[in-house]
């Protein structure tokens, strides 16, 4: 029996900044995972991954990561992907800091 | 102190210029990532979880104050105001932007530093005893040999595409502080009939298949060192496995062929190539030995030191843990702890780096060292200067008195930064250190090495920790395996797995139970955890880790 497909997002690291980014439905790379396109169909996920791989001038190492639908958009399921949406736990650096900077604006 | 030759300078500048062009071509799209990746790795640039990471070599852990200040400047200008000192005597910057990296490399080149061969299947940064040139127990300063090996291996045409990376460590003292038995080649200076030579150890390594290195040659005259090392690498280059990444390291070659067969092949190859080494290397070694000559030590009374010891218990506690015996009368080796309780092991802020540079200038004959244990060493401080030095360190949060104690933990970056990680290491280290500080027992517990890795690659040396902690991903949850009885010194051993792993929140209580069990069973305060473990075996410690009551069961997964 083949394994049941679980929803995915396409994610990668931005070429210039190196930070985690997610592919949106309108073909942008967002630093906010909640803006990502949630892919519930396996074939479609492959198509989007191929599209991502065709943008080596923008991102590095695209892959499909498990995600679930949340109230504000896709959310990570694995702890590694959770960390990628936040940044390191020893300093308030990375996305967690960027987000609060945004919120303060 | 040794400074790079003009050849080095030109070579490093050339490499930076090349890399600048490569980055430009990557950014404008003319290089793909597949093409660019090996090029950036050759220049120490990794892509991690949240950002790029630049790994800079600190050969044999030696820095001068200008270099330390430049590291601080780079941290402030292009990173987030700090650097992370690693278990390989490197410094890593966790937040560089791709386009800035060539400028960072140029700034490094300004002080004779670089990121070459900090990655890839090459001979990596040669590491050495961090007390080199200072330790009372030293036969010979290992750094001239380390530098000779560095020059020989840098861009060596035969060794740019080895089966896998290759690491060499050197120590000049019988007390091994450089973990030489866990390296591909470990070199230990030894004396025989009044002559100093090298015991050559081969095939050590940690990672997926930890191995203690084996002696391939008991006594090698110093003048044979380079051809002998070349023979080892050459034999491995030929018969080392390239079919399987996990079996490519020389430890597997030694394991599969047996040390006797390896010895036979190495000696045969050595005999072939030895005549080609006509003594140029020995001239160079003599020059290097001159360049690493000890500073002019002063003679001065040590009354101020004795008075501070008697008057100030905080100073005394620090002196008791953080000083080591120096070979020069009236001097001490100072280890500055980068392990303040609750801090990230190995991290130093730009201000701290600058202060350390100033202190090395004022009190330390211009010398600094980085240890594989992620601390900073001021190798030559006269005891009369220690009270003032201690006061200055205290003002910058650098006077933690914990060297060799529970909270002096080695931890790799783990999943807070590293893309290969299976779990986090840093928070575990922070929590253990914080807890032991609350309990106020670490001076009573005494010598204990806890080492934490965030994956099986073992950058945190967990296999050779008295207590080793390995972070794994078990069914999508961070889980930590504990090993006991490891030792990275001259009495090296690989720790044994104690049993099932613990969830993150179970690790600190587990370590606490282990420590109290040790305090219960030790014969006296002089018997260290490792000695008690070796005397009693694992049972009392396993019993503490996995108590029979339900709570303990629930804790272990
Ligand atoms: S041990 Fe693993 S997680 Fe830690 S730094 Fe090495 S590769 Fe990364």
């Amino acid at each position: 029996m083949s394994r049941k497909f679980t929803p995915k997002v396409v994610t990668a690291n931005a070429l210039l900044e190196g930070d985690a980014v997610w592919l949106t439905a309108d073909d942008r790379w967002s630093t906010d995972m909640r803006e990502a396109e949630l892919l519930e169909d396996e074939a479609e996920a492959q198509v989007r991954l191929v599209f991502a791989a065709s943008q080596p001038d923008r991102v590095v190492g695209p892959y499909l990561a498990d995600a679930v639908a949340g109230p504000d958009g896709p959310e990570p399921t694995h702890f590694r992907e959770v960390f990628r949406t936040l940044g390191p736990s020893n300093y308030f650096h990375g996305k967690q800091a960027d987000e609060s900077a945004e919120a303060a604006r | 102190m040794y400074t790079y030759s003009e050849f080095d300078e030109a070579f490093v500048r050339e490499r930076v210029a090349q890399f600048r062009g490569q980055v430009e071509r990557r950014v404008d799209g003319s290089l793909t990532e597949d093409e660019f990746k090996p090029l950036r790795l050759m220049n120490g640039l990794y892509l991690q979880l949240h950002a790029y990471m630049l790994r800079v070599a600190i050969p044999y852990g030696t820095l001068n104050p200008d270099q330390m200040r430049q590291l601080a400047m780079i941290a402030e200008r292009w990173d987030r105001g700090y650097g992370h000192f690693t278990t390989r005597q490197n410094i890593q910057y966790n937040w560089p932007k791709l386009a800035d990296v060539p400028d960072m490399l140029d700034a490094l080149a300004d002080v004779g530093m670089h990121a070459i061969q900090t990655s890839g299947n090459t001979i990596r940064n040669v590491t050495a005893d961090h007390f080199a040139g200072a330790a009372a127990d030293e036969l010979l300063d290992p750094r001239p040999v380390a530098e000779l090996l560095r020059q020989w291996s840098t861009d060596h045409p035969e060794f740019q595409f080895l089966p896998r990376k290759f690491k060499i460590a050197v120590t000049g003292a019988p007390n091994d502080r450089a973990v030489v038995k866990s390296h591909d080649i470990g070199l230990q200076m030894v004396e025989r009939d009044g002559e100093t030579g090298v015991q050559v150890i081969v095939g050590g390594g940690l990672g997926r298949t930890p191995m203690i290195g084996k002696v391939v040659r008991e006594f090698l005259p110093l003048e044979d060192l380079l051809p002998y090392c070349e023979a080892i690498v050459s034999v491995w280059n030929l018969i080392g496995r390239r079919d399987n990444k996990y079996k490519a390291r020389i430890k597997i070659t030694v394991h599969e062929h047996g040390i006797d067969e390896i010895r036979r092949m190495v000696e045969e190859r050595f005999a072939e190539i030895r005549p080609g080494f006509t003594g140029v290397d020995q001239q160079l070694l003599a020059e290097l030995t001159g360049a690493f000559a000890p500073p002019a030590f002063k003679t001065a009374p040590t009354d101020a030191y004795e008075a501070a010891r008697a008057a100030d218990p905080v100073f005394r506690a620090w002196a008791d843990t953080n000083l080591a015996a120096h070979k020069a009368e009236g001097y001490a080796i100072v280890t500055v702890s980068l392990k303040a309780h609750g801090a990230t092991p190995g991290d130093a802020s730009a201000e701290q780096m600058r202060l350390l540079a100033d202190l090395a200038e004022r009190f330390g004959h211009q010398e600094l060292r980085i240890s594989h244990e992620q601390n900073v060493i001021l190798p030559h401080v006269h005891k009369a200067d220690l009270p003032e030095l201690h006061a200055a360190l205290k003002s910058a949060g650098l006077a933690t008195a914990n060297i060799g104690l529970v909270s002096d933990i080695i931890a790799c970056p783990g999943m807070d930064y590293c893309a290969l990680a299976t779990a986090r290491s840093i928070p575990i280290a922070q929590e253990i250190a914080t807890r032991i500080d609350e309990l106020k027992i670490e001076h009573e517990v005494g010598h204990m090495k806890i080492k934490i890795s965030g994956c099986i690659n073992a950058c945190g040396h967990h296999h050779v920790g008295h207590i080793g902690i390995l972070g794994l991903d078990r069914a999508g949850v961070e889980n930590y395996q504990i090993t006991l009885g490891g030792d990275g010194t001259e009495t090296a051993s690989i720790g044994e797995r104690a049993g099932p792993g613990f969830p993150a929140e179970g690790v600190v209580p587990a370590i606490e139970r282990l420590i109290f069990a040790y305090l219960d069973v030790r014969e006296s305060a002089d018997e260290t955890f490792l000695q008690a473990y070796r005397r009693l075996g694992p049972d009392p410690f396993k019993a503490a880790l996995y108590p029979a009551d339900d709570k303990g069961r629930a804790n272990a997964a």
Side-chain angles (χ1 to χ4, degrees), chain A residues 91-102:
Chain A
Y91 298 115
F92 192 63
H93 287 163
K95 296 226 174 327
Q96 52 198 348
D98 302 346
E99 256 182 42
S100 65
E102 255 167 51

Side-chain angles (χ1 to χ4, degrees), chain B residues 464-517:
Chain B
V464 292
H466 301 171
I467 298 176
I469 301 175
L470 166 62
L472 295 169
D473 172 352
R474 269 199 39 188
V477 180
E478 288 172 295
N479 187 271
Y480 295 86
Q481 222 170 62
I482 292 180
T483 51
L484 298 172
D487 175 5
T489 70
E490 61 284 357
T491 47
S493 56
I494 301 291
E496 297 160 40
R497 212 187 124 184
F502 293 85
E505 63 280 8
V507 178
V508 174
I511 300 298
E512 200 176 314
R513 291 199 296 278
L514 260 182
I515 290 174
F516 280 111

